[in-house]
Amino acid sequence: MSLSQDPLSSQFAPDGPDRFPGWRNLPRRGRGLSLRTLVILRWMAIVGQSATIAVAVLYFHFDLPLWGCLAAIAASVAMNLNATARLKRSDGSLPDGRMTAAHLGFDILQLSILLGLTGGLQNPFCLLLVAPVTVAAASLPGRQAALMGLLVLAATVSLFFVSLPLPWQAGTELNLPPLYRFGVGLALVTGVIFTSAYAWRVAADAEKLELALATTQDVLQREQRLAALGGLAAAAAHELGTPLATIQVVARELLRASPRDGPAAEDAALILQQAERCRDILKRLSQQPEEGQPAFAEVGLKALLEEVVEPHRGFDLDFEVSVRTASGEKAPRVRRLPEVVHGLSTLVENAADFANGKVRVRALVDAGFIEIEVVDDGPGFPADILPRLGEPYVTSRPQGKARRALAAQIAASVTAAAPGRKTKKNAKPDPQPETIAPSQGGMGLGFFIARTLLERTGGKVFVGPGDGGPSPAKGQARGARVAVRWSRPALEVSS
């Protein structure tokens, strides 16, 4: 069974089998930080650097190269004033990746100069070089973040070889051995790599989840708009009722005033007939769900299962739909919620994509719950995906398979339909392209969206092996099983 299916898959699927999601084309954010955020962060850094130098000179009486340090801080102040002026001329709330990389690169160089003037790798504040790379990893695309990391690596190597002595109290000098400085540099590089990789991964997961939730909300809004059409139709029927009644009154007056067999009488009778037909249509449209319109409110449990299965019939698969109740009682009527219809349809579609020949959709009704399970006889969930099932962008679909197979099917159909094409008598027939359902291939959002919608209605989703069990016999498919369980009050319509 697949783990995904969504209408966006064709837009993001790779174009061919040789395109793999490496670091260059991972789904990453390219927005960067806004100019206002960069200005605020730099003002904080300027205040911290100024306070540190003031304490070192005025309180500890360290012999610092004061003018050089002040010049480095002044350069940072000038950079921030220029950024503030640009902020007033434009909308600084919009993020800009290149601008963020340029500002972070300047901060790395400015901090490296300050460290070089105050002891290099002997200065404990060299740890601050980790901060710009972490920000870059969390907000910039891969190439720009990697460039910031290389810049910090170059700064670390330069500080190991070129730096002024570490300022200390008057009359004393502190010289740490080269091995210690090498250890500090190695620890700094290790910290940069680990921290940036951690920030990269956390930001990437957050971005994927944000996109998946936005897609889920879009799907739900689409379903709700479809459900709202009934209300719009009822409102339109109410507004059209008055002018239609006027038309009927006028038509009756014309019919009475016209000769019985004249053309005007025939026209008036036709108007009355069509107006009555319109009134019947408006009456059906204006019916509320509780007045007998099950398509918008409630259906039988078996009818709900048939509704979600019907679009997937016809792919040489055997669909078995059944409802089993405790003690043979009558199957309950349930609410036809858009979330339930869409979620179950996705589960059935996934099962149909991976089934070998049979899909079973069964509802179990007990005294306290209603459970709907979808079981197929396909290969089942891979062991490496099962623990992460339900997360966005987790899929076992072969990327690009659908597109290549569908293209082969179209090409074969065009070739077969081409008139006048001559073939050799002894020519071997071309191999038939693989026949697949059009839905194969996805981003890994389908199951996530289905689970989110079903849990929103109060259901709990369970996954596991199908009829073959976790260790099927030789030659038997393991299959996959997805079950959704609701409490009866959450889904059943109270009588």
Side-chain angles (χ1 to χ4, degrees):
M1 177 180 286
S2 142
L3 308 182
S4 73
Q5 176 55 35
D6 60 280
L8 303 178
S9 59
S10 60
Q11 302 178 20
F12 296 94
D15 291 334
D18 55 344
R19 294 185 60 184
F20 296 96
W23 70 275
R24 293 186 178 183
N25 57 356
L26 281 174
R28 293 289 293 120
R29 69 232 136 257
R31 299 188 296 269
L33 300 176
S34 65
L35 184 58
R36 181 176 290 106
T37 301
L38 293 171
V39 169
I40 293 175
L41 291 177
R42 185 173 292 113
W43 281 127
M44 294 172 61
I46 290 172
V47 171
Q49 293 170 359
S50 303
T52 301
I53 292 178
V55 171
V57 172
L58 300 178
Y59 184 77
F60 292 104
H61 305 290
F62 287 170
D63 187 16
L64 291 173
L66 187 59
W67 291 110
C69 294
L70 293 179
I73 296 177
S76 187
V77 172
M79 182 73 171
N80 234 24
L81 292 176
N82 179 61
T84 303
R86 289 183 55 192
L87 189 61
K88 294 179 179 179
R89 296 193 302 266
S90 61
D91 186 5
S93 61
L94 298 178
D96 189 333
R98 293 185 178 181
M99 180 188 64
T100 300
H103 279 258
L104 292 178
F106 171 82
D107 292 336
I108 293 174
L109 293 176
Q110 190 262 357
L111 181 58
S112 300
I113 292 174
L114 273 179
L115 292 173
L117 294 174
T118 55
L121 295 181
Q122 301 180 86
N123 191 329
F125 288 100
C126 65
L127 181 65
L128 293 176
L129 285 173
V130 176
V133 185
T134 304
V135 174
S139 60
L140 292 179
R143 294 183 180 181
Q144 296 175 356
L147 181 61
M148 297 298 103
L150 292 176
L151 190 58
V152 169
L153 178 61
T156 303
V157 174
S158 301
L159 292 175
F160 179 79
F161 292 103
V162 181
S163 65
L164 297 180
L166 179 67
W168 207 247
Q169 293 179 345
T172 60
E173 184 176 353
L174 180 63
N175 288 320
L176 300 176
L179 183 60
Y180 178 83
R181 290 188 288 115
F182 176 79
V184 172
L186 183 61
L188 179 61
V189 172
T190 303
V192 166
I193 295 175
F194 175 79
T195 308
S196 59
Y198 180 82
W200 172 282
R201 188 62 203 172
V202 170
D205 289 345
E207 185 184 23
K208 290 179 180 180
L209 184 60
E210 178 184 0
L211 177 60
L213 291 175
T215 306
T216 304
Q217 188 66 25
D218 180 68
V219 170
L220 182 58
Q221 288 177 354
R222 190 181 304 118
E223 295 290 338
Q224 290 174 340
R225 284 197 298 269
L226 292 176
L229 289 177
L232 294 176
H238 177 73
E239 295 295 331
L240 292 173
T242 300
L244 185 60
T246 304
I247 292 174
Q248 287 181 307
V249 171
V250 174
R252 289 192 183 96
E253 293 294 332
L254 288 176
L255 183 60
R256 283 196 296 267
S258 303
R260 183 171 297 238
D261 297 328
E266 294 180 0
D267 292 340
L270 180 61
I271 293 175
L272 278 174
Q273 179 185 0
Q274 296 302 317
E276 190 63 30
R277 181 183 175 190
C278 291
R279 181 171 292 279
D280 292 338
I281 295 174
L282 293 179
K283 183 179 180 181
R284 290 197 300 268
L285 290 177
S286 62
Q287 284 180 341
Q288 299 299 321
E290 62 270 14
E291 295 176 357
Q293 185 57 278
F296 293 95
E298 60 184 62
V299 291
L301 185 54
K302 181 71 175 292
L304 176 65
L305 301 185
E306 292 288 352
E307 179 183 354
V308 300
V309 167
E310 184 61 31
H312 310 292
R313 296 185 187 274
F315 289 103
D316 297 328
L317 292 175
D318 179 22
F319 284 89
E320 177 186 336
V321 180
S322 62
V323 177
R324 191 174 70 185
T325 59
S327 305
E329 63 177 301
K330 184 180 178 182
R333 296 184 64 81
V334 296
R335 296 180 180 88
R336 188 188 178 279
L337 302 174
E339 298 92 331
V340 173
V341 174
H342 183 88
L344 293 179
S345 297
T346 300
L347 299 183
V348 173
E349 185 173 11
N350 291 340
D353 283 345
F354 280 80
N356 293 325
K358 183 177 181 180
V359 176
R360 185 177 75 245
V361 181
R362 181 173 62 180
L364 305 175
V365 183
D366 204 346
F369 66 86
I370 297 176
E371 180 176 299
I372 299 177
E373 65 175 12
V374 181
V375 182
D376 65 67
D377 60 350
F381 297 116
D384 58 331
I385 287 182
L386 192 58
R388 299 184 293 124
L389 195 60
E391 298 178 8
Y393 301 96
V394 175
T395 179
S396 62
R397 294 178 186 269
Q399 295 291 338
K401 176 183 177 183
R403 186 176 300 178
R404 297 193 301 274
L406 188 58
Q409 292 177 31
I410 296 174
S413 302
V414 172
T415 302
R421 181 181 177 184
K422 297 181 179 180
T423 57
K424 297 180 179 179
K425 293 182 178 180
N426 299 327
K428 295 182 178 180
D430 295 334
Q432 293 296 323
E434 178 187 7
T435 302
I436 63 170
S439 60
Q440 288 185 1
M443 292 173 60
L445 286 179
F447 190 86
F448 170 79
I449 293 174
R451 182 171 186 169
T452 302
L453 295 178
L454 292 171
E455 289 181 346
R456 182 169 181 169
T457 63
K460 293 183 179 180
V461 182
F462 305 92
V463 296
D467 295 336
S471 302
K474 185 176 181 180
Q476 181 184 7
R478 179 172 57 179
R481 175 181 179 269
V482 180
V484 189
R485 175 177 292 189
W486 295 268
S487 64
R488 290 192 64 161
L491 196 61
E492 183 180 6
V493 176
S494 58
S495 55

